Amino acid sequence: MRLIVPMGGRGTRLRPFSHTTPKPLLPLLGRPAIVHILDAFAGALGRPVDEAVFVLGPDAASGVRDALAAACDAHGLRAAFAVQPEPLGTAHAIACAGDAMDGEILTCWADTLFTPDRGAAPLASGDVDLVAWTVHVDDPRRFGVVARDENGRIVRLIEKPTTAEWTETLIGAYYVREGAALRTAVDDMLASGATGAGGEFQLTDAYDRLVQNGARMATAPAARWLDTGTLASYRQTVRALLDAGEHETAASGARGESVIVAPSYVHPDADVRRSVIGPYAVVEAGAVIRDAVVRDSVVMREAIVRHSALSGALLGDRASASGANGALVLGDDSEVHADG
């Protein structure tokens, strides 16, 4: 079973981090985002994903493929790559995966994280052709929705509806029993120029074609829907994961002459001394914190914070801050030394 992840966009809403770190590799409490996505699908389907196919843009940063491959390899997963030569829409991005669309496939946006409903049994995927994970949103007009008839039967999938008549909202995570059918639908759209919302080829429209062609479709409830597509939503996702306590987090207490205030996460390989960490702080692997207060902030891998009081801050990999205060945002390898 393959997971296809379209990520050909420029990630402008997540700059400066997207300049160097692809969304699936953003650290989330000690694990890259892609692993959270894989875990969600494995839990919902009762079996693991075998391969991840990343659809990159033509100007993907140097080393992105190696980094993604290494992350997948560390979790026993094969990685493959395709290129979307120009941004013509989400359906076009999936089509660029080519032969990787054959067989059972999953599709999910690179910045989507979800938790399947733990009360539901693993999906009996042989009984349906298409599954979409959904949540209910009071006003879903910015998203895609599932439209049902008076008997509850799925009759349409609509991208960015003009009304809020239907509130069962698509989160961008799907299972397809036979990807060749989706491939045919997308190829037909591209050949006929059937663009949708925003003048682009929309994946929701391709899935709607499957429904119109008689595909047996079901929806599955997502207990939680998060994303990492913007700096604000990344910060909100970190807070939600800390609140949920689903991952190993540091309990309140002392460490290296420091105080850790829950909920917070301090990676075992971080070096924290004479500091106050938390609440809602994340300190990733290899980070160094000295004589500092770090609250409601994320300090990414191998970053250094000294003599600072940070609140609402985001520090990228290997960033360095000294004598800094407040809601500092530093991209990877950036430095601020306010104390000279």
Side-chain angles (χ1 to χ4, degrees), residues 269-272 283-289 299-304:
D269 293 336
D271 184 356
V272 179
V283 182
E284 293 286 355
V288 175
I289 313 290
V299 179
M300 295 188 189
R301 294 159 295 206
E302 300 182 22
I304 299 172

Side-chain angles (χ1 to χ4, degrees), residues 1-333:
M1 184 166 58
R2 293 188 181 96
L3 167 64
I4 302 177
V5 183
M7 44 183 296
R10 298 182 183 275
T12 54
R13 297 181 304 155
L14 198 59
R15 290 177 179 169
F17 303 106
S18 56
H19 287 305
T20 50
T21 303
K23 292 177 184 178
L25 292 182
L26 279 173
L28 288 168
L29 280 63
R31 303 190 303 162
I34 184 63
V35 176
H36 292 262
I37 295 172
L38 294 169
D39 285 350
F41 280 121
L45 296 171
R47 53 200 171 97
V49 179
D50 302 305
E51 182 178 61
V53 180
F54 301 98
V55 183
L56 307 175
D59 55 353
S62 175
V64 163
R65 294 190 184 210
D66 290 343
L68 288 168
C72 289
D73 184 65
H75 293 85
L77 181 74
R78 297 190 303 273
F81 302 93
V83 174
Q84 184 183 18
E86 51 184 328
L88 299 181
T90 52
H92 177 257
I94 295 295
C96 293
D99 292 343
M101 293 182 69
D102 294 341
E104 282 185 298
I105 64 168
L106 305 160
T107 65
C108 188
W109 312 137
D111 53 10
T112 291
L113 278 77
F114 73 101
T115 302
D117 187 342
R118 297 185 184 279
L123 292 168
S125 53
D127 297 337
V128 293
D129 302 306
L130 171 63
V131 177
W133 278 266
T134 61
V135 296
H136 283 276
V137 174
D138 290 338
D139 186 355
R141 286 177 290 181
R142 293 188 297 118
F143 310 107
V145 298
V146 178
R148 298 177 182 265
D149 63 17
E150 61 275 10
N151 298 315
R153 184 175 66 91
I154 297 172
V155 293
R156 283 194 68 194
L157 302 182
I158 307 170
E159 180 68 19
K160 293 182 175 59
T162 56
T163 70
E165 179 180 358
W166 298 283
T167 61
E168 189 176 6
T169 302
L170 301 162
I171 68 172
Y174 299 87
Y175 164 86
V176 186
R177 186 173 59 83
E178 182 45 69
L182 177 62
R183 188 177 184 182
T184 297
V186 173
D187 286 347
D188 288 346
M189 289 172 58
L190 298 178
S192 62
T195 56
E200 297 183 337
F201 296 101
Q202 298 288 348
L203 187 56
T204 303
D205 296 340
Y207 284 128
D208 180 61
R209 288 194 174 212
L210 295 186
V211 173
Q212 303 311 316
N213 290 336
R216 298 170 298 169
M217 181 178 177
T219 61
R224 184 177 62 198
W225 176 27
L226 305 169
D227 79 84
T228 59
T230 68
L231 294 179
S233 64
Y234 175 72
R235 192 194 311 275
Q236 291 166 2
T237 291
V238 167
R239 288 181 66 95
L241 293 175
L242 289 171
D243 277 332
E246 295 180 1
H247 307 280
E248 182 181 352
T249 59
S252 298
R255 172 175 171 170
E257 301 176 70
S258 299
V259 175
I260 312 298
V261 183
S264 292
Y265 172 84
V266 179
H267 193 282
D269 293 336
D271 184 356
V272 179
R273 303 185 189 183
R274 300 181 302 278
S275 297
V276 176
I277 307 297
Y280 294 106
V282 171
V283 182
E284 293 286 355
V288 175
I289 313 290
R290 294 282 191 277
D291 304 295
V293 176
V294 179
R295 296 190 175 99
D296 192 21
S297 299
V298 178
V299 179
M300 295 188 189
R301 294 159 295 206
E302 300 182 22
I304 299 172
V305 180
R306 299 179 185 273
H307 307 289
S308 298
L310 302 182
S311 179
L314 292 172
L315 272 65
D317 292 352
R318 301 171 303 280
S320 178
S322 181
N325 295 290
L328 183 66
V329 176
L330 284 181
D332 294 354
D333 302 297

